[in-house]
Amino acid sequence: MTQAVDHVALLPGYLAAGTAVLVLLADLFVARRVVTLAVAAGGAVATAVAAIVVGAGSDRSTFCVGDACSYLANDRSALVAALFGFLTLGVLGLSAPLLRAGVAPAGEYCFLLACSMTGGVVLGAAGDVVTLIIALETLTLPLYVLVGMRRQTVESAAAAVTFFVVSVVATAVSLLGAALLYAVTGRLHLSTLGPALTGDVSLAGGAPVRALDLPLTSVGIALLVLGLAFKVAAVPFHAWAPPTYDGAPLPVAAYLSTASKLGGVVAILAVVTVALPPAVTGPILAALAVLTMTVGNLVALRQIRMTRLLAWSSVAQAGYILAPLGALALADGRTGDAFSTAVTAAVAYTVFFVVLELGAFAAVVALREPTADGGRIDSYRGAARRHRWIGAALALALIGLAGLPPGLAGLFAKVAVVRSLLTGSSGWLAVVVALNAVVGLAYYVRVAALLYAPDPLDRPARAVPWPVAGVLLLATAFALAIGFAPQLVLDWAAG
């Protein structure tokens, strides 16, 4: 039997993969760093634009068996692919000084970023568990190498090994969970897995029983969710994040904290909102959310290095993202108001977080030497006095992550989460979110105030490369824009 393939639906994936190939060819035949970067940047923009044109407002699909399809091009896939494309473009801009300094070869660096972007694009359109996990690994695998690209640095090598080992274990756990669910239901497509789990299955030599009543089903669901939780650095699968962020080149750390976390959220949303029963996943995600935001905020209070502070901050932010999904156990079905509000809040918070986190890392890159790491927090004392607009941008990002005005994007993100929890009758979880937000103020405001404190060393200002300045300016402008128009993000997330 032949199967028609919708190549238009696959166009964003083609462009992302083609970018990786073109980067290698440009590096081989032209061998100029500027050309290689330009090809990678052009491919990232083309991928994002194609995703919006193909997926926005449409409902295309391909690789279908009956009504179940493995690749879906719709509003959600367009949003995810566009975010990955623009994040890749931003990280390329932050990486320009690093590549100019010879810390990493431009061809291999841009190729790996394009490969990771390809995984992210396919991840947003994945319609079955196998495509989902393979896309997630395609997103993650190049990052093992990128993390270790700070030459002759023990910290970079240790970070890459830590990331690799923990990631392999998490992937094995996810695959085991998926295999157990397949053994119970015989289904892999997300749209058919959900009904199969809530229906009856026949056991050899026995009467049909409900799939959810089997211990194997609960174990499979738990393993799949917990394995995917690694990608968002949820507690207790968070230990890799601080050493990996701190040991990686700063632009790679920025990509890890934004694109990698975005991929994890997309994967969890795909299985929780379509396939897995909320009654089972809700308590798991609620527990993960409480642990993640609490541990992340408490440990962030003790940090003395900037990158580790941002790493623990991102762990806490993952807890806020998971919190609305933890309320799904009490949601009134997959089409009710509580369910749609929870999903919208999680997606919107992810978008707000990604923009603010990219702005924070862009400011750190602008304030540091190209070959340097994030450094100690006290080395940023008086940075806003030496670089007024960069310091202001970093302070805005930190205040936004804390959820305070004038960082309106972060404020509305937390309001959306709390509102979704109250709608889902999870008031206790809303209280936990509010208390953790108060704890987070301590370290966010402390660092923001340090930027404007007098510097006894009277360190001179340094020139900021224009690609880094451009990324910082765009990230800050976008953060301000969505802060003043949050409903646009909420409407897009709801789509």
Side-chain angles (χ1 to χ4, degrees):
M1 183 179 71
T2 59
Q3 185 182 71
V5 177
D6 188 346
H7 294 285
V8 175
L10 294 169
L11 182 60
Y14 288 157
L15 288 173
T19 299
V21 175
L22 288 175
V23 163
L24 284 182
L25 293 176
D27 186 59
L28 176 64
F29 292 107
V30 182
R32 296 192 58 176
R33 183 184 62 253
V34 175
V35 175
T36 303
L37 278 170
V39 170
V45 173
T47 299
V49 172
I52 295 172
V53 171
V54 171
S58 70
D59 193 15
R60 310 180 72 101
S61 58
T62 189
F63 300 123
C64 300
V65 178
D67 293 331
C69 299
S70 296
Y71 195 96
L72 308 170
N74 49 32
D75 287 330
R76 189 65 57 82
S77 69
L79 172 61
V80 173
L83 283 174
F84 273 106
F86 289 125
L87 282 174
T88 303
L89 179 65
V91 172
L92 285 170
L94 298 182
S95 304
L98 188 77
L99 299 178
R100 188 182 302 117
V103 173
E108 289 89 333
Y109 188 93
C110 295
F111 169 75
L112 291 169
L113 269 181
C115 289
S116 183
M117 177 180 66
T118 303
V121 170
V122 176
L123 178 63
D128 65 65
V129 178
V130 173
T131 303
L132 185 80
I133 294 178
I134 290 177
L136 197 56
E137 286 310 296
T138 305
L139 166 65
T140 306
L141 280 172
L143 299 179
Y144 304 150
V145 183
L146 287 171
V147 167
M149 273 197 168
R150 276 172 58 197
R151 290 174 173 168
Q152 300 176 350
T153 305
V154 175
E155 291 81 4
S156 181
V161 172
T162 301
F163 185 31
F164 172 75
V165 172
V166 181
S167 181
V168 167
V169 173
T171 301
V173 170
S174 298
L175 288 172
L176 178 58
L180 292 178
L181 294 179
Y182 179 74
V184 173
T185 64
R187 300 287 189 274
L188 287 174
H189 289 93
L190 299 175
S191 59
T192 59
L193 181 59
L197 287 173
T198 55
D200 294 336
V201 295
S202 297
L203 300 179
V209 296
R210 200 166 73 110
L212 284 178
D213 293 335
L214 296 173
L216 199 63
T217 304
S218 298
V219 173
I221 291 173
L223 290 177
L224 180 58
V225 173
L226 293 177
L228 295 178
F230 160 84
K231 303 300 181 182
V232 296
V235 174
F237 311 100
H238 66 289
W240 63 273
T244 301
Y245 287 20
D246 201 27
L250 280 174
V252 177
Y255 192 80
L256 275 170
S257 66
T258 54
S260 180
K261 194 174 292 291
L262 172 63
V265 172
V266 170
I268 291 177
L269 279 170
V271 298
V272 168
T273 61
V274 179
L276 303 183
V280 179
T281 58
I284 297 174
L285 292 171
L288 286 176
V290 172
L291 285 172
T292 301
M293 69 178 79
T294 304
V295 172
N297 280 320
L298 291 178
V299 180
L301 292 171
R302 301 172 49 244
Q303 299 308 304
I304 60 174
R305 292 183 61 81
M306 178 61 82
T307 310
R308 283 182 175 266
L309 175 73
L310 292 175
W312 283 108
S313 161
S314 73
V315 170
Q317 299 292 334
Y320 301 136
I321 294 171
L322 294 176
L325 303 181
L328 293 182
L330 299 176
D332 48 344
R334 294 192 188 277
T335 58
D337 291 338
F339 185 87
S340 60
T341 302
V343 174
T344 299
V347 175
Y349 196 102
T350 303
V351 175
F352 287 129
F353 163 75
V354 163
V355 174
L356 291 169
E357 188 80 350
L358 180 63
F361 268 99
V364 171
V365 172
L367 293 172
R368 303 290 292 174
E369 294 292 333
T371 58
D373 56 17
R376 293 172 60 92
I377 295 175
D378 54 17
S379 67
Y380 292 80
R381 180 182 294 274
R385 294 170 177 258
R386 298 188 297 272
H387 303 274
R388 291 187 178 180
W389 74 274
I390 297 177
L394 179 54
L396 177 68
L398 293 172
I399 291 173
L401 290 171
L404 290 176
L408 296 179
L411 174 62
F412 284 115
K414 285 186 170 57
V415 169
V417 168
V418 172
R419 184 178 61 182
S420 72
L421 295 175
L422 295 177
T423 303
S425 302
S426 296
W428 67 272
L429 195 50
V431 172
V432 175
V433 169
L435 291 175
N436 272 278
V438 173
V439 174
L441 294 178
Y443 59 87
Y444 286 124
V445 174
R446 172 172 63 91
V447 176
L450 189 70
L451 296 173
Y452 290 92
D455 182 12
L457 299 180
D458 195 24
R459 284 167 283 207
R462 56 179 299 270
V464 179
W466 69 264
V468 177
V471 173
L472 179 58
L473 179 62
L474 289 175
T476 304
F478 193 54
L480 289 172
I482 62 177
F484 285 106
Q487 193 59 43
L488 293 177
V489 179
L490 292 172
D491 291 341
W492 200 1

